[in-house]
Amino acid sequence: MNRYIVVNEFFGIRVFDTKLKNQLFFSNEQKNNIMKLIDGDYEILNEKFIPNGRQLSAPLKISMNITKGCNLRCKQCFSNSAVKLKDELITEEIYSLFDEMAKSGTFFICIGGGEPLTRPDIMDILAYGKKKRLAVSVVTNGTLINDEIVSKLNQMDLDTLWISFDGLKENHELLRGEGTFLKAIEALENLKKLTSKVAIRVSISKNNIKELTDIVKIAEEYEVDLIRFTPLMEFGRAKEEDIIISQEQYVDCLKELNAIESKVQIITPSNIENDKFWVTPSDFGCHCGKEAIWIDEQGYYSPCFFFGEKFFIGNIKNDSYLDLWDESNRVTNFNGNDVCKNCSNYSKCRGGCRARTYMAYNNFDDVDPLCPLRKNK
């Protein structure tokens, strides 16, 4: 089986390395040289590709909630997870999605919930993703991680296992429940034996803004590969809690995090590298709907989960995968605004989070309310 998968795009090609689970992008001018370098060890998915404007041939990544079922009742849960729904995607429907992804050139999927480890077929799902040569990541609250789970996960060749963390003991348990902090720590200890990458996800809230450096220290202690900080969204159950940070608090948090020197890779929205040479000034808006999409536990497809149900544009149970992708690109064809387009940081952030902007102003084209350069209203 060939190591590299080549996908034709309007700008040239992208090359997925099935061994290292990474993807690189090359212009039309670079294409011939790259094809010579990997000669004899690649396959082309879409040799008859016909460019559709400046649209990618398929999503680069899918974020997917595979169940509403969860063993916790976290106060900030954006998906309102609790009890499994009766009409959630069955195993075979998820397999079918993976088939479409592999056939179309979507190589990255991040599986969450609810708590994905509550699904009895989760290991079968991960194994099938591996069979299709996808880079599969899983987001978990960590409370169900034990030696047996780690042993099974080590057979799956995961890309990344993400643990959700909400602060030190008091604040973590304030949101997630008594005893959950120790279980998360025990999960990190067990995951030292995991052969794939281990990462921590932190939603920045009023509760934990004074504990960010301490969380990084925990990541270092348990030899985590990376830690990602993003501001908590006022969505789902978080709407009922007074814990959403202000712009000033967010700016202060970014300053603190960007100043930390750590052996753990620290990712914030402000330090994500922008190597997307195909993006032009007219491509306003974040990656949602243009490079990545969401699928929920019932199969509903949207540019971004945080856009809300109003922007569900179809269902993978009965709609064409690539037709849904075309519609996603149409829905996210935003006009933008002059403040962002004339900003020196525009080529990097492309206007910031569109979901947060829509929630704040009922307008996708406005300035991100948490703009770290303070250019919002």
Side-chain angles (χ1 to χ4, degrees):
M1 189 173 291
N2 294 311
R3 173 172 174 173
Y4 301 98
I5 302 176
V6 176
V7 184
N8 286 306
E9 298 291 357
F10 68 88
F11 55 79
I13 57 172
R14 50 189 172 96
V15 179
F16 178 64
D17 185 333
T18 62
K19 182 177 180 180
L20 298 180
K21 295 292 193 297
N22 62 17
Q23 185 167 233
L24 297 175
F25 305 82
F26 303 97
S27 66
N28 282 307
E29 291 73 24
Q30 298 170 310
K31 178 178 178 179
N32 289 337
N33 288 336
I34 296 301
M35 299 296 274
K36 289 177 182 177
L37 284 174
I38 60 176
D39 188 34
D41 199 13
Y42 71 85
E43 59 188 86
I44 301 178
L45 279 187
N46 56 349
E47 291 190 75
K48 297 181 180 180
F49 171 68
I50 300 175
N52 182 8
R54 295 188 53 79
Q55 177 179 318
L56 292 169
S57 62
L60 301 182
K61 175 185 177 181
I62 289 175
S63 293
M64 184 179 189
N65 296 341
I66 63 170
T67 184
K68 278 274 193 182
C70 189
N71 60 319
L72 301 182
R73 299 294 183 268
C74 303
K75 294 180 180 179
Q76 84 288 15
C77 179
F78 69 85
S79 62
N80 280 313
S81 292
V83 180
K84 176 185 174 181
L85 302 178
K86 293 182 179 179
D87 56 349
E88 292 181 354
L89 291 169
I90 62 174
T91 312
E92 289 73 20
E93 288 169 332
I94 296 176
Y95 289 174
S96 180
L97 170 65
F98 288 178
D99 290 340
E100 289 296 321
M101 291 173 62
K103 182 173 66 176
S104 303
T106 304
F107 303 115
F108 297 85
I109 183 162
C110 187
I111 293 174
E115 172 50 55
L117 294 181
T118 62
R119 275 193 69 134
D121 59 353
I122 183 62
M123 295 301 167
D124 295 328
I125 290 170
L126 299 181
Y128 195 83
K130 178 181 177 180
K131 177 182 175 182
K132 304 306 293 188
R133 298 193 289 172
L134 304 178
V136 183
S137 299
V138 176
V139 181
T140 172
N141 60 42
T143 60
L144 302 179
I145 297 288
N146 53 34
D147 285 337
E148 180 184 0
I149 292 293
V150 171
S151 178
K152 290 180 178 180
L153 291 175
N154 278 339
Q155 303 172 36
M156 302 303 167
D157 189 28
L158 287 181
D159 182 54
T160 309
L161 193 287
W162 293 88
I163 298 287
S164 297
F165 231 80
D166 293 305
L168 301 183
K169 185 177 186 298
E170 180 180 352
N171 284 316
H172 185 87
E173 296 191 350
L174 183 66
L175 294 177
R176 293 185 176 267
E178 185 177 352
T180 55
F181 181 78
L182 179 58
K183 288 183 178 179
I185 292 296
E186 290 174 347
L188 291 177
E189 182 64 42
N190 279 317
L191 289 171
K192 286 183 179 180
K193 300 184 285 287
L194 193 69
T195 54
S196 58
K197 288 188 292 186
V198 176
I200 288 176
R201 293 168 67 116
V202 182
S203 294
I204 306 173
S205 69
K206 288 181 181 179
N207 288 27
N208 61 25
I209 54 175
K210 301 297 184 182
E211 301 176 346
L212 305 184
T213 299
D214 291 320
I215 298 174
V216 174
K217 291 178 180 177
I218 290 174
E220 291 175 335
E221 180 181 353
Y222 291 95
E223 302 170 11
V224 168
D225 294 286
L226 61 98
I227 182 168
R228 188 182 200 107
F229 292 90
T230 54
L232 181 67
M233 299 286 280
E234 193 172 8
F235 201 83
R237 289 203 284 265
K239 293 174 67 174
E240 308 303 320
E241 304 292 321
D242 182 23
I243 54 176
I244 305 300
I245 60 173
S246 67
Q247 181 186 39
E248 289 300 317
Q249 289 171 321
Y250 181 51
V251 171
D252 290 342
C253 289
L254 288 179
K255 289 179 180 178
E256 176 184 349
L257 292 170
N258 291 335
I260 296 175
E261 294 184 3
S262 174
K263 59 185 178 182
V264 176
Q265 182 184 5
I266 300 173
I267 300 176
T268 70
S270 66
N271 66 12
I272 296 175
E273 292 297 322
N274 178 30
D275 57 356
K276 302 164 186 174
F277 61 85
W278 67 85
V279 176
T280 71
S282 63
D283 295 321
F284 182 84
C286 58
H287 69 287
C288 292
K290 299 180 177 70
E291 299 161 23
I293 55 92
W294 276 84
I295 296 174
D296 78 358
E297 63 283 337
Q298 295 173 298
Y300 288 104
Y301 183 115
S302 65
C304 175
F305 186 86
F306 296 105
F307 284 7
E309 294 183 7
K310 180 181 177 181
F311 291 92
F312 286 174
I313 58 179
N315 194 295
I316 62 169
K317 293 180 181 180
N318 43 43
D319 294 315
S320 161
Y321 182 75
L322 292 182
D323 285 350
L324 289 169
W325 177 237
D326 288 342
E327 180 64 10
S328 178
N329 275 265
R330 188 194 67 78
V331 169
T332 55
N333 185 23
F334 304 127
N335 293 320
N337 62 82
D338 290 338
V339 173
C340 288
K341 290 181 177 179
N342 291 319
C343 174
S344 61
N345 202 49
Y346 177 62
S347 63
K348 184 175 181 179
C349 81
R350 290 161 61 182
C353 178
R354 294 301 89 206
R356 186 164 52 234
T357 306
Y358 182 75
M359 282 186 262
Y361 308 127
N362 198 33
N363 179 4
F364 283 111
D365 293 315
D366 219 318
V367 182
D368 187 334
L370 290 189
C371 171
L373 300 181
R374 299 182 174 91
K375 295 191 174 184
N376 61 303
K377 291 180 178 179

